[in-house]
Amino acid sequence: MEQKIIPIRPMSPTRERKRQAPKGRRVDPALLAEVQHLLGDRPRRKDLLIEHLHLIQDHYGRLSTHHLAALAQEMRLAQAEVYEVASFYHHFDVVRDDAATNAAAVPALTVRVCESLSCEMAGARDLLERLPGLLGADVRVLAAPCVGRCEQAPVAVVGQKPVAHASTEKVCAVVDAGETQDTPSGYIDYAGYLQQGGYRLLTDCLSGDKSVEAVMSAMESSGLRGLGGAGFPAGRKWRIVGNEPGPRLMAVNIDEGEPGTFKDRTYLERDPHRFLEGMLIAAWAVGIEAIYIYLRDEYHGCRALLTQELAKLQANPPAGKLPEIHLRRGAGAYICGEESAMIESIEGKRGMPRLRPPYVAQVGLFGRPTLEHNFETLYWVREIIEKGPDWFASHGRHGRKGLRSFSVSGRVNKPGVHLAPAGITIQELIDEYCGGMQAGQRFYAYLPGGASGGILPASLNNIPLDFDTLQAYGCFIGSAAVIVLSEQDSAVGAARNMTKFFHDESCGQCTPCRVGTAKSLDLIQQSHWDQALLADLSEVMRDASICGLGQAAPNPIDCVIKYFPHELTETGTRTS
């Protein structure tokens, strides 16, 4: 049989041309010009994607899909890549580009009411119910996860302006006045810090008056551990990263999204340069070439403060050449408090935790060895080195060493950040630092480590609060976020609040966490808890979740079953 030969037609000139833009929807030239104008002369690097999304969101109050397409073309990225990042973070409002609906898709002003446990106990539910009717259709009212101001509960955020001890009257007054920006004040600025002897220690380090080995040894001898929750020894971390081949980078975590935690914000608002000096000393000791500070988006005033003070520092450095310092803005994702998820976000991606190994000390930011630190860890560096490691280690109670910054909220007279000896008990903390319980309130239970740290009854009021002291009770101290409950509250209600938080904040990457938090929330909303099924879920989530969110999410539920069984059998279970 004769084979038929089909000639190959030459490719047309049109098909031979290289694509001039990423594949996807057509880009409106006018909208592309708008995006180009907003970006100005800023670099178009991929790691700046989230920063550029913020520019558009801040300017237009939304992210239309037309603008996303234009941004993708301008940054030479796939449109799907831009969309998946924009749709991952809570603070980005992605809307369809239908001209008929786009203008009204997102109201001009958003009021966020914190619904975390401390704010719920202080009346946030009432605010969420009443504000929409009072503010009208032109203002959007949203329930928000913890905004890091638990000592001021309940808290609402009007635009970017926090309203402490919020009431409907206060919130309406701020809206009517058009006050939507948080303006920092009352902190020690660059000039004031220099007058108090600030940056003298950094100057000694850079000039050679202090050796790297002396500083490293002081950090190791002090016993200072990471104060973001994990508690890894700070000095040991410096040595590990310093022994890795350069170039080395540094990532600073100020994304304290754990409900009940606000210590980093408090210290940053008072004395930002103490933290910056500690950061620069760590960078010098480890040999860091560039530093990336990741600040949660809820801290708008702190961002303005840091931007201003960093500019002063870089324009007139105290001594020597400083490493590059980049301030990066989160976008509303609790998961980015996990170190590898934070690094993914700094790189312009969705904040999803990485599988380990390798660890970030070896392969971290942009694939380089990375020194990752919490804000407060660096805040103590100057004082430890100036006063000597024995000064820090000399504090402590009940056999523990060091100092702890406890973020205390709930039913106490003096909520706030209390610097106390490591190992102090909850009863001592309440009586000596917090002014006792509020009038008419009787101590019932407490959370020693925020939403993930578990719940303990008041009968266990003599446990030293520190790293490694609470694990035997199914709890941990984490970032020392203490929430105090009274007899008018319930552990069941607290567990429901926190499980909802974990469900909302799960990044969805791994099935045990994504499905486990949803199923757990459904089960504990029932009047009767299926304890056997909850135990199975807890075991799977702890064993198989990629990161600490899924591994710790069962803690509140497990503690209720273990320590508060009477609440599960009461016919009139308290719900607050």
Side-chain angles (χ1 to χ4, degrees):
M1 183 176 179
E2 184 177 355
Q3 184 176 5
K4 186 177 180 180
I5 300 176
I6 301 176
I8 300 175
R9 298 175 62 185
M11 184 176 291
S12 67
T14 301
R15 294 178 65 189
E16 286 179 340
R17 287 201 301 266
K18 292 183 178 179
R19 184 175 297 279
Q20 297 301 309
K23 186 177 180 180
R25 69 180 64 211
R26 291 182 179 275
V27 174
D28 185 325
L31 294 181
L32 177 60
E34 290 178 357
V35 168
Q36 291 171 335
H37 177 71
L38 275 178
L39 267 57
D41 59 358
R42 295 175 177 86
R44 270 56 168 174
R45 299 194 315 269
K46 179 181 177 180
D47 63 289
L48 292 172
L49 173 58
I50 294 173
E51 298 296 309
H52 297 342
L53 289 170
H54 274 302
L55 287 173
I56 300 173
Q57 172 78 36
D58 289 347
H59 187 80
Y60 294 102
R62 61 187 63 84
L63 296 174
S64 76
T65 46
H66 268 325
H67 275 135
L68 293 181
L71 180 63
Q73 177 167 318
E74 183 66 14
M75 297 187 69
R76 309 300 299 166
L77 297 172
Q79 291 182 19
E81 189 173 5
V82 173
Y83 184 86
E84 73 172 4
V85 172
S87 59
F88 178 84
Y89 294 93
H90 296 316
H91 291 181
F92 292 142
D93 294 304
V94 179
V95 298
R96 291 188 303 112
D97 49 23
D98 182 348
T101 61
N102 188 30
V106 180
L109 180 63
T110 296
V111 174
R112 289 181 165 86
V113 178
C114 178
E115 64 174 351
S116 69
L117 182 58
S118 299
C119 285
E120 182 183 83
M121 291 161 60
R125 288 182 184 177
D126 182 62
L127 287 174
L128 284 166
E129 290 173 1
R130 297 177 60 194
L131 281 174
L134 294 170
L135 295 175
D138 292 336
V139 179
R140 178 176 59 165
V141 178
L142 297 177
C146 184
V147 297
R149 296 179 179 273
C150 314
E151 84 282 22
Q152 303 168 7
V155 178
V157 182
V158 178
Q160 297 183 349
K161 182 178 181 62
V163 181
H165 307 295
S167 63
T168 53
E169 293 78 13
K170 279 187 176 182
V171 173
C172 289
V174 172
V175 172
D176 291 342
E179 300 175 8
T180 60
Q181 298 296 320
D182 186 14
T183 305
S185 62
Y187 62 90
I188 303 171
D189 64 4
Y190 185 44
Y193 187 70
L194 290 174
Q195 290 175 359
Q196 296 178 8
Y199 291 110
R200 190 175 300 155
L201 177 59
L202 175 64
T203 302
D204 290 343
C205 291
L206 295 175
S207 66
D209 290 344
K210 291 241 181 233
S211 68
V212 169
E213 181 56 36
V215 170
M216 287 269 200
S217 297
M219 290 296 296
E220 290 172 327
S221 300
S222 70
L224 178 68
R225 296 172 64 169
L227 298 171
F232 193 86
R236 191 192 310 172
K237 183 183 286 190
W238 290 19
R239 286 206 186 271
I240 290 171
V241 179
N243 288 331
E244 292 292 325
R248 306 175 199 92
L249 303 176
M250 185 174 184
V252 182
N253 191 337
I254 321 182
D255 194 62
E256 55 173 357
E258 182 75 20
T261 307
F262 47 91
K263 60 183 177 61
D264 293 350
R265 188 209 86 236
T266 301
Y267 287 138
L268 180 54
E269 289 177 338
R270 295 173 183 173
D271 197 356
H273 286 279
R274 185 172 296 272
F275 146 69
L276 291 174
E277 183 170 15
M279 177 187 79
L280 291 170
I281 290 169
W284 161 80
V286 178
I288 299 295
E289 294 195 4
I291 302 169
Y292 291 78
I293 302 172
Y294 190 84
L295 179 67
R296 71 179 306 201
D297 194 34
E298 289 83 352
Y299 291 171
H300 301 289
C302 291
R303 187 172 65 255
L305 180 161
L306 269 179
T307 299
Q308 177 176 295
E309 295 306 310
L310 279 171
K312 295 177 183 177
L313 175 64
Q314 291 168 321
N316 185 27
K321 182 181 178 181
L322 302 179
E324 292 182 11
I325 303 174
H326 305 271
L327 179 59
R328 292 296 174 85
R329 179 179 174 184
Y334 166 72
I335 191 62
C336 290
E338 195 275 340
E339 62 177 6
S340 65
M342 176 188 67
I343 285 173
E344 289 285 293
S345 188
I346 292 173
E347 292 180 354
K349 306 172 188 174
R350 294 176 294 170
M352 289 188 167
R354 297 175 179 178
L355 292 171
R356 284 169 275 190
Y359 296 94
V360 299
Q362 302 162 311
V363 182
L365 194 53
F366 306 118
R368 301 308 312 165
T370 301
L371 178 66
E372 190 276 340
H373 263 316
N374 166 259
F375 167 93
E376 195 201 349
T377 311
L378 298 168
Y379 186 85
W380 289 112
V381 167
R382 174 189 162 187
E383 202 156 3
I384 287 173
I385 297 174
E386 285 183 340
K387 295 182 177 179
D390 292 341
W391 165 79
F392 188 80
S394 67
H395 295 83
R397 291 188 187 177
H398 307 296
R400 311 303 298 178
K401 292 183 178 181
L403 291 166
R404 295 287 175 269
S405 299
F406 292 94
S407 303
V408 186
S409 60
R411 309 291 188 183
V412 294
N413 280 316
K414 294 180 180 178
V417 175
H418 298 289
L419 184 62
I424 193 173
T425 68
I426 183 63
Q427 195 65 59
E428 292 169 338
L429 187 63
I430 293 172
D431 294 342
E432 298 176 30
Y433 290 84
C434 302
M437 298 291 291
Q438 293 174 356
Q441 306 281 352
R442 183 178 175 185
F443 182 32
Y444 174 68
Y446 66 106
L447 286 70
S452 12
I455 314 172
L456 291 171
S459 59
L460 294 177
N461 64 349
N462 60 349
I463 304 170
L465 298 179
D466 196 13
F467 298 113
D468 311 320
T469 62
L470 294 159
Q471 280 83 340
Y473 302 90
C475 299
F476 57 83
I477 193 170
S479 57
V482 177
I483 304 176
V484 180
L485 279 61
S486 76
E487 285 194 328
Q488 78 177 53
D489 308 306
S490 78
V492 167
R496 286 172 177 160
N497 180 287
M498 291 177 288
T499 303
K500 180 181 183 299
F501 171 81
F502 290 129
H503 170 56
D504 292 343
E505 294 297 328
S506 172
C507 74
Q509 179 178 194
C510 66
T511 302
C513 180
R514 181 182 67 250
V515 177
T517 54
K519 184 64 175 177
S520 297
L521 181 59
D522 180 61
L523 287 171
I524 67 172
Q525 297 287 16
Q526 309 303 316
S527 58
H528 173 74
W529 287 18
D530 187 336
Q531 296 186 29
L533 184 52
L534 284 168
D536 287 344
L537 270 173
S538 174
E539 184 176 1
V540 171
M541 292 173 70
R542 292 184 193 283
D543 291 345
S545 294
I546 290 175
C547 80
L549 191 156
Q551 294 163 11
N555 283 347
I557 298 172
D558 291 349
C559 285
V560 168
I561 294 171
K562 183 176 182 180
Y563 297 114
F564 303 90
H566 58 281
E567 289 194 20
L568 301 177
T569 57
E570 293 174 356
T571 55
T573 301
R574 292 160 291 181
T575 58
S576 65

